[in-house]
PDB file of all heavy atoms in Angstrom:
ATOM      1  N   ARG M 229     -11.571 -11.116 -19.850  1.00 93.00           N
ATOM      2  CA  ARG M 229     -11.087 -10.698 -18.529  1.00 93.00           C
ATOM      3  C   ARG M 229     -11.933 -11.299 -17.399  1.00 93.00           C
ATOM      4  O   ARG M 229     -11.398 -11.811 -16.419  1.00 93.00           O
ATOM      5  CB  ARG M 229     -11.093  -9.172 -18.448  1.00 93.00           C
ATOM      6  CG  ARG M 229     -10.720  -8.613 -17.086  1.00 93.00           C
ATOM      7  CD  ARG M 229     -10.215  -7.185 -17.186  1.00 93.00           C
ATOM      8  NE  ARG M 229     -11.125  -6.314 -17.886  1.00 93.00           N
ATOM      9  CZ  ARG M 229     -12.091  -5.581 -17.303  1.00 93.00           C
ATOM     10  NH1 ARG M 229     -12.242  -5.648 -15.986  1.00 93.00           N
ATOM     11  NH2 ARG M 229     -12.857  -4.789 -18.001  1.00 93.00           N
ATOM     12  N   PHE M 230     -13.258 -11.234 -17.547  1.00 91.00           N
ATOM     13  CA  PHE M 230     -14.119 -11.767 -16.494  1.00 91.00           C
ATOM     14  C   PHE M 230     -14.011 -13.286 -16.396  1.00 91.00           C
ATOM     15  O   PHE M 230     -14.011 -13.856 -15.299  1.00 91.00           O
ATOM     16  CB  PHE M 230     -15.576 -11.361 -16.741  1.00 91.00           C
ATOM     17  CG  PHE M 230     -15.880  -9.941 -16.362  1.00 91.00           C
ATOM     18  CD1 PHE M 230     -16.421  -9.059 -17.282  1.00 91.00           C
ATOM     19  CD2 PHE M 230     -15.611  -9.481 -15.087  1.00 91.00           C
ATOM     20  CE1 PHE M 230     -16.689  -7.746 -16.945  1.00 91.00           C
ATOM     21  CE2 PHE M 230     -15.880  -8.165 -14.734  1.00 91.00           C
ATOM     22  CZ  PHE M 230     -16.423  -7.299 -15.666  1.00 91.00           C
ATOM     23  N   SER M 231     -13.911 -13.957 -17.540  1.00 93.00           N
ATOM     24  CA  SER M 231     -13.801 -15.414 -17.500  1.00 93.00           C
ATOM     25  C   SER M 231     -12.498 -15.840 -16.844  1.00 93.00           C
ATOM     26  O   SER M 231     -12.456 -16.833 -16.102  1.00 93.00           O
ATOM     27  CB  SER M 231     -13.911 -15.998 -18.902  1.00 93.00           C
ATOM     28  OG  SER M 231     -12.853 -15.546 -19.733  1.00 93.00           O
ATOM     29  N   ALA M 232     -11.408 -15.080 -17.101  1.00 93.00           N
ATOM     30  CA  ALA M 232     -10.126 -15.388 -16.468  1.00 93.00           C
ATOM     31  C   ALA M 232     -10.179 -15.109 -14.962  1.00 93.00           C
ATOM     32  O   ALA M 232      -9.683 -15.899 -14.148  1.00 93.00           O
ATOM     33  CB  ALA M 232      -9.012 -14.562 -17.114  1.00 93.00           C
ATOM     34  N   LYS M 233     -10.803 -13.991 -14.617  1.00 89.00           N
ATOM     35  CA  LYS M 233     -10.893 -13.621 -13.200  1.00 89.00           C
ATOM     36  C   LYS M 233     -11.721 -14.634 -12.411  1.00 89.00           C
ATOM     37  O   LYS M 233     -11.357 -15.021 -11.286  1.00 89.00           O
ATOM     38  CB  LYS M 233     -11.527 -12.234 -13.077  1.00 89.00           C
ATOM     39  CG  LYS M 233     -11.749 -11.774 -11.647  1.00 89.00           C
ATOM     40  CD  LYS M 233     -12.378 -10.387 -11.605  1.00 89.00           C
ATOM     41  CE  LYS M 233     -12.602  -9.931 -10.174  1.00 89.00           C
ATOM     42  NZ  LYS M 233     -13.203  -8.578 -10.111  1.00 89.00           N
ATOM     43  N   LEU M 234     -12.837 -15.079 -13.016  1.00 90.00           N
ATOM     44  CA  LEU M 234     -13.749 -15.957 -12.292  1.00 90.00           C
ATOM     45  C   LEU M 234     -13.393 -17.432 -12.426  1.00 90.00           C
ATOM     46  O   LEU M 234     -13.978 -18.277 -11.747  1.00 90.00           O
ATOM     47  CB  LEU M 234     -15.188 -15.722 -12.785  1.00 90.00           C
ATOM     48  CG  LEU M 234     -15.734 -14.304 -12.573  1.00 90.00           C
ATOM     49  CD1 LEU M 234     -17.121 -14.172 -13.174  1.00 90.00           C
ATOM     50  CD2 LEU M 234     -15.749 -13.935 -11.098  1.00 90.00           C
ATOM     51  N   ALA M 235     -12.427 -17.735 -13.312  1.00 90.00           N
ATOM     52  CA  ALA M 235     -12.025 -19.139 -13.491  1.00 90.00           C
ATOM     53  C   ALA M 235     -11.491 -19.729 -12.195  1.00 90.00           C
ATOM     54  O   ALA M 235     -11.701 -20.914 -11.909  1.00 90.00           O
ATOM     55  CB  ALA M 235     -10.991 -19.241 -14.603  1.00 90.00           C
ATOM     56  N   ALA M 236     -10.797 -18.899 -11.408  1.00 87.00           N
ATOM     57  CA  ALA M 236     -10.248 -19.389 -10.139  1.00 87.00           C
ATOM     58  C   ALA M 236     -11.339 -19.793  -9.162  1.00 87.00           C
ATOM     59  O   ALA M 236     -11.112 -20.605  -8.254  1.00 87.00           O
ATOM     60  CB  ALA M 236      -9.364 -18.313  -9.509  1.00 87.00           C
ATOM     61  N   LEU M 237     -12.559 -19.247  -9.373  1.00 88.00           N
ATOM     62  CA  LEU M 237     -13.689 -19.588  -8.504  1.00 88.00           C
ATOM     63  C   LEU M 237     -14.513 -20.724  -9.084  1.00 88.00           C
ATOM     64  O   LEU M 237     -15.523 -21.116  -8.496  1.00 88.00           O
ATOM     65  CB  LEU M 237     -14.576 -18.354  -8.301  1.00 88.00           C
ATOM     66  CG  LEU M 237     -13.896 -17.140  -7.661  1.00 88.00           C
ATOM     67  CD1 LEU M 237     -14.839 -15.944  -7.652  1.00 88.00           C
ATOM     68  CD2 LEU M 237     -13.441 -17.471  -6.252  1.00 88.00           C
ATOM     69  N   GLY M 238     -14.104 -21.213 -10.265  1.00 91.00           N
ATOM     70  CA  GLY M 238     -14.820 -22.331 -10.873  1.00 91.00           C
ATOM     71  C   GLY M 238     -15.807 -21.940 -11.950  1.00 91.00           C
ATOM     72  O   GLY M 238     -16.529 -22.793 -12.478  1.00 91.00           O
ATOM     73  N   PHE M 239     -15.871 -20.641 -12.333  1.00 93.00           N
ATOM     74  CA  PHE M 239     -16.813 -20.206 -13.362  1.00 93.00           C
ATOM     75  C   PHE M 239     -16.393 -20.705 -14.739  1.00 93.00           C
ATOM     76  O   PHE M 239     -15.201 -20.779 -15.066  1.00 93.00           O
ATOM     77  CB  PHE M 239     -16.893 -18.678 -13.400  1.00 93.00           C
ATOM     78  CG  PHE M 239     -17.871 -18.089 -12.420  1.00 93.00           C
ATOM     79  CD1 PHE M 239     -17.541 -17.980 -11.075  1.00 93.00           C
ATOM     80  CD2 PHE M 239     -19.120 -17.642 -12.827  1.00 93.00           C
ATOM     81  CE1 PHE M 239     -18.427 -17.438 -10.160  1.00 93.00           C
ATOM     82  CE2 PHE M 239     -20.017 -17.087 -11.924  1.00 93.00           C
ATOM     83  CZ  PHE M 239     -19.667 -16.986 -10.585  1.00 93.00           C
ATOM     84  N   LYS M 240     -17.388 -21.033 -15.560  1.00 94.00           N
ATOM     85  CA  LYS M 240     -17.176 -21.407 -16.951  1.00 94.00           C
ATOM     86  C   LYS M 240     -17.987 -20.462 -17.842  1.00 94.00           C
ATOM     87  O   LYS M 240     -19.109 -20.078 -17.484  1.00 94.00           O
ATOM     88  CB  LYS M 240     -17.621 -22.848 -17.210  1.00 94.00           C
ATOM     89  CG  LYS M 240     -16.904 -23.895 -16.356  1.00 94.00           C
ATOM     90  CD  LYS M 240     -15.457 -24.061 -16.778  1.00 94.00           C
ATOM     91  CE  LYS M 240     -14.803 -25.176 -15.984  1.00 94.00           C
ATOM     92  NZ  LYS M 240     -13.356 -25.327 -16.306  1.00 94.00           N
ATOM     93  N   MET M 241     -17.422 -20.122 -19.010  1.00 94.00           N
ATOM     94  CA  MET M 241     -18.151 -19.271 -19.932  1.00 94.00           C
ATOM     95  C   MET M 241     -19.228 -20.082 -20.644  1.00 94.00           C
ATOM     96  O   MET M 241     -18.972 -21.188 -21.127  1.00 94.00           O
ATOM     97  CB  MET M 241     -17.212 -18.638 -20.961  1.00 94.00           C
ATOM     98  CG  MET M 241     -17.895 -17.579 -21.831  1.00 94.00           C
ATOM     99  SD  MET M 241     -16.795 -16.860 -23.079  1.00 94.00           S
ATOM    100  CE  MET M 241     -15.654 -15.940 -22.035  1.00 94.00           C
ATOM    101  N   ASP M 242     -20.424 -19.542 -20.705  1.00 94.00           N
ATOM    102  CA  ASP M 242     -21.527 -20.176 -21.411  1.00 94.00           C
ATOM    103  C   ASP M 242     -21.147 -20.393 -22.877  1.00 94.00           C
ATOM    104  O   ASP M 242     -20.526 -19.530 -23.514  1.00 94.00           O
ATOM    105  CB  ASP M 242     -22.759 -19.283 -21.300  1.00 94.00           C
ATOM    106  CG  ASP M 242     -23.912 -19.763 -22.142  1.00 94.00           C
ATOM    107  OD1 ASP M 242     -24.350 -20.908 -21.962  1.00 94.00           O
ATOM    108  OD2 ASP M 242     -24.373 -18.984 -23.004  1.00 94.00           O
TER     109      ASP M 242
END
Side-chain angles (χ1 to χ4, degrees):
R229 175 158 53 92
F230 282 124
S231 62
K233 177 180 180 180
L234 299 176
L237 300 174
F239 274 78
K240 301 289 184 183
M241 188 181 292
D242 173 57

